[in-house]
Amino acid sequence: MFKTDVLIIGAGAAGLFCAGIAKQKGLNVIVIDHASKLAEKVRISGGGRSNFTNIDIDPQQPSKHFISENPRFCTSALSRYSAQDFVQWMRAKHVPFHEKHKGQLFCDRSSEDLIQALLLECDAGASGAHVQIMPSCKLEHLNHHDQATPYYEALTDQGRIQSQAVVVATGGLSIPQIGASDLGYRLAKQFGIRVTPTRPALVPLVFEPQAWSSFASLSGVSLPVLIEIGQGKKKTSFEEDLLFTHRGLSGPAALQISSYWHEEQALNINLLPHLDLGAFLLALKQQSKKLLLNELSTQLPNRLAQTWSHLNPEWLKSMPDLSNKSIQHITQSLQNWELRPQTTEGYKKAEVTAGGVDTRDLSQQTMQSKQAGLYFIGEVVDITGWLGGYNFQWAWSSAFACANGLASQLNKL
Ligand SMILES: Cc1cc2nc3c(=O)[nH]c(=O)nc-3n(C[C@H](O)[C@H](O)[C@H](O)COP(=O)(O)OP(=O)(O)OC[C@H]3O[C@@H](n4cnc5c(N)ncnc54)[C@H](O)[C@@H]3O)c2cc1C
């Protein structure tokens, strides 16, 4: 039987960071994970270099970069532990990093540096407390004993663990191949905490095979686009690279918009976002004798222009032969291309899970749930960041808030 102040379930980004900070506040921590390798998602993130934060995060405008039934929930944690705070932490740990673009910070060498820094944090400090990490440890039951001094008892395949508090840091459902599970949501429900519906997010989009047959051969083609979803005040748009795949669309543009997409919704894509295409073609009609296909091949990837020309015979006309109406139609088709995905590639390919533990049942200051002593942090919570380091920052910020909450609950402040 093990006894500890805090049991953390999940040795991923949020769980390990929380363990290290809690230890420095004098708390003894046990971290269990059913996977044999720790922090696998950190390892594969950012193409193996972890895009570990984004310095453009504005905690006062959370709905700019975070999706949730209540985006304002993350303001407190993101303000009290900001991207700049994590940057300082990385510097203190001597992890070299660089900015790629749009405020995205990546490790220079490998995600392994970040994992080692997280593990070092669990070892460091002179608080007298310690962190014990137990990989390949399966939780069978979690019970709460409501006595004069209440405590939690976890039954695991490596023995019983008694703790005063439990932190659920089990992440989302994406990439089950490396250990994702629904345990966090099940624990929430067991203790009467609400869970909002979950869905794959930051995920490639898939089209009905027949409808996509003309575009399947474009697999591998990539171009910068403007992609939009929704109308009026609910419109969301991204200017990013779009990648064609055998089954649909991927690349940052499709991944970002997928987090906002719901079944049957249409997307609009502008394949030439920086060109006044109508005016450009009308001018060429006067000046050029070339085929429309040849003119548009200078603006679009060649394979894309070829495919479009197979769909519309007008593309094989020379510029002077195009009617104004035809130019209008071509402009519309390239700059307001309406597409209706059939589905997504699902949790197998999703980077994150949208939805999760309902923020109405959590404290935004401490991440403690309405069940005393039970906390939820990281991706298991209904907070989903954009692509670009936002999800890791949520993991760090919520973990930090939680560690402070634990210290306060267990009188270590
Ligand atoms: C391919 C890919 C690339 C990504 N790249 C980035 C990026 O560059 N930047 C970014 O900000 N975000 C990125 N993300 C998202 C980011 O990895 C997650 O949002 C982040 O890891 C969430 O942290 P977490 O601690 O909540 O969950 P995780 O890091 O997923 O950790 C959860 C832990 O809980 C454990 N666990 C699960 N179920 C159980 C159970 N039943 N029993 C015990 N333990 C359990 C898991 O094994 C895991 O170790 C990426 C995700 C993927 C899939």
Side-chain angles (χ1 to χ4, degrees), residues 263-284:
E263 261 177 41
E264 316 229 322
Q265 246 186 321
L267 311 171
N268 284 80
I269 300 177
N270 183 344
L271 293 166
L272 289 162
H274 296 294
L275 185 65
D276 181 347
L277 184 60
F280 174 76
L281 293 178
L282 285 172
L284 283 176

Side-chain angles (χ1 to χ4, degrees), residues 3-207:
K3 270 194 170 180
T4 185
D5 296 323
V6 181
L7 168 66
I8 299 181
I9 308 169
L16 288 177
F17 193 61
C18 185
I21 306 284
K23 175 202 149 115
Q24 277 146 40
K25 294 186 180 295
L27 298 173
N28 290 314
V29 182
I30 292 181
V31 189
I32 63 169
D33 201 301
H34 66 167
S36 55
K37 274 179 146 182
L38 305 173
E40 266 301 90
K41 242 177 229 177
V42 179
R43 187 167 283 110
I44 62 169
S45 65
R49 289 194 174 174
S50 282
N51 176 194
F52 59 83
T53 192
N54 193 301
I55 49 174
D56 289 346
I57 291 179
D58 180 355
Q60 299 313 319
Q61 291 191 59
S63 48
K64 212 169 144 188
H65 298 121
F66 293 91
I67 303 157
S68 164
E69 283 193 4
N70 176 21
R72 287 224 74 80
F73 178 84
C74 53
T75 293
S76 168
L78 291 171
S79 317
R80 283 184 300 138
Y81 193 81
S82 65
Q84 284 69 24
D85 290 324
F86 195 73
V87 165
Q88 272 188 21
W89 183 89
M90 290 286 275
R91 288 209 174 100
K93 296 281 175 286
H94 307 291
V95 178
F97 61 87
H98 62 279
E99 182 176 345
K100 205 166 171 189
H101 74 159
K102 296 189 177 178
Q104 301 167 3
L105 301 188
F106 284 77
C107 295
D108 282 353
R109 294 185 298 232
S110 136
S111 314
E112 199 55 46
D113 285 352
L114 173 53
I115 296 173
Q116 287 312 317
L118 288 167
L119 292 173
L120 234 148
E121 184 81 358
C122 291
D123 271 346
S127 65
H130 64 269
V131 176
Q132 183 182 352
I133 301 177
M134 297 167 61
S136 304
C137 179
K138 286 196 178 59
L139 179 75
E140 281 151 10
H141 289 291
L142 180 67
N143 300 315
H144 183 241
H145 296 270
D146 208 1
Q147 292 164 351
T149 313
Y151 66 94
Y152 287 87
E153 187 173 48
L155 304 179
T156 79
D157 61 356
Q158 293 185 28
R160 266 180 225 215
I161 305 169
Q162 268 186 19
S163 65
Q164 294 182 62
V166 171
V167 179
V168 180
T170 45
L173 295 168
S174 59
I175 324 278
Q177 310 88 293
I178 57 165
S181 84
D182 66 349
L183 177 67
Y185 312 120
R186 283 193 278 119
L187 287 174
K189 287 177 189 162
Q190 179 191 330
F191 288 98
I193 294 149
R194 288 171 284 187
V195 176
T196 68
T198 57
R199 62 179 199 283
L202 297 180
V203 61
L205 298 166
V206 173
F207 293 84

